[in-house]
Structure formats: structure tokens, C-alpha cells
Amino acid sequence: MRGIIRETALFGHVLEVRRSIRIPVCGSSVTLEDTVTNLTPRDEEIMKIYHCNFGYPLLSEKAQLVLPEARETVPRTDFARTGLGRECEFDRPVDGEEERVFFQKMEKEFRAELKNPEIGVSMAISWSGNTLPVLSEWRSMASGDYVLGLEPANCYINGRHGERENGTLPVLGAFESRNYTVNIEFGEI
């Protein structure tokens, strides 16, 4: 599938997204490719995140997240900091559990794999690390909201103001284009 999306504002930004989604007939993968173009003569701030959620039964206390060893893990909150060292392990659902977000900064391998040996299923996600350098690992172990979000992004998820203050808000130059790719593949283990 292919499509073109345009986001515009009078006297403001004009961004065009050319999206392609490929799903092979006899396969178990989804590949999403975006080309974002700034159609104005001025630079535009641009935040991109690909929010991919995975839940039960793939996610359970038997599941394991496999991340490259060459990475830096940064907790978003003090509560997330209490989970450092266990960011690849999961608990059973807990009533009222607060969410945890970890920012994963990979060095050269931009891939994560969620494996559940109890059901014999795995999911691997990979992305274009040159344009999506941060993986936000969003975890809600709360009963009723039990989910893992693996979110390749071009910045941290701290809002435009926070990213601007941090010096991490990406800018797309006048008439510039940038490519983003995310691939999700399911398999048996």
C-alpha cells in the first residue's frame, strides 16, 4: 500500500509524508517506509515516533526483551529508575502499577526482540537508526493495561518544549526530505 499525507497550516508548516506499507503474501512481517519532505523555504521542527504495542499473550512474565548490549538505558522518571537492570524482564500484571519509560540509545544495532518461550513466539523490530536514534521502551504492567510499547523515535518523548530545551528537537531543513523505516517480523522459537 502507498499513500501521501500532507500536514499544513496557513502561514506555517507544509509537511508531506509518502508512506509505503509492505506485507508479503506468504510472510510474517510488516515494513513501513516514510519519506517526510518539508515543502517550505524555512526549517521546520519535526518529531517522529512509531508507537508499536505488544500485549498478552506475547507479553507475559515469561517473556524476555532482547536488546543490543552496546546501548545506554536512560529512565524517564524516578519510578522508572527503580526498574533499571530489569528493563528486559516482565512481571505479572499489578493493580495500579505506574508506567515506566526507558530510553534506549543503541550504538550500531537498531533492533529489539520480544520472545516468549512459553508460547513459542517472537517478535523482532528493527528501524533506521540514522533517522530514529532513540527507542522509547514504554511499559505498563498495570492490570487491564498490560502492554509493552517499543517506539523508534527521532527524539525523546518529552514534548517540543522539553526537546527544544534539551537540544534534541530535530529540524528538517527547507525543502529537505528524510527517510524512516520500521520493520516488524514475527517468528517461532
Side-chain angles (χ1 to χ4, degrees), residues 88-151:
C88 294
E89 301 168 17
F90 302 96
D91 299 318
R92 297 177 67 88
V94 177
D95 291 341
E97 176 86 359
E98 185 179 328
E99 71 178 6
R100 282 188 171 97
V101 176
F102 299 104
F103 300 117
Q104 304 289 353
K105 294 276 297 179
M106 280 53 162
E107 290 182 18
K108 52 188 167 193
E109 185 182 1
F110 299 92
R111 177 182 167 80
E113 184 176 12
L114 181 62
K115 301 193 306 191
N116 190 326
E118 185 173 60
I119 62 172
V121 175
S122 70
M123 177 288 310
I125 182 170
S126 57
W127 59 94
S128 52
N130 60 327
T131 54
L132 300 167
V134 178
L135 176 69
S136 292
E137 177 189 344
W138 174 72
R139 306 160 54 103
S140 177
M141 299 292 102
S143 303
D145 295 327
Y146 194 65
V147 67
L148 169 67
L150 296 174
E151 309 164 348

Side-chain angles (χ1 to χ4, degrees), residues 12 24-25 32 64 73 76 90 95 115 143 154 167 170 173:
V25 173
L32 183 119
Q64 179 185 17
T73 302
R76 182 176 185 198
F90 302 96
D95 291 341
K115 301 193 306 191
S143 303
N154 70 346

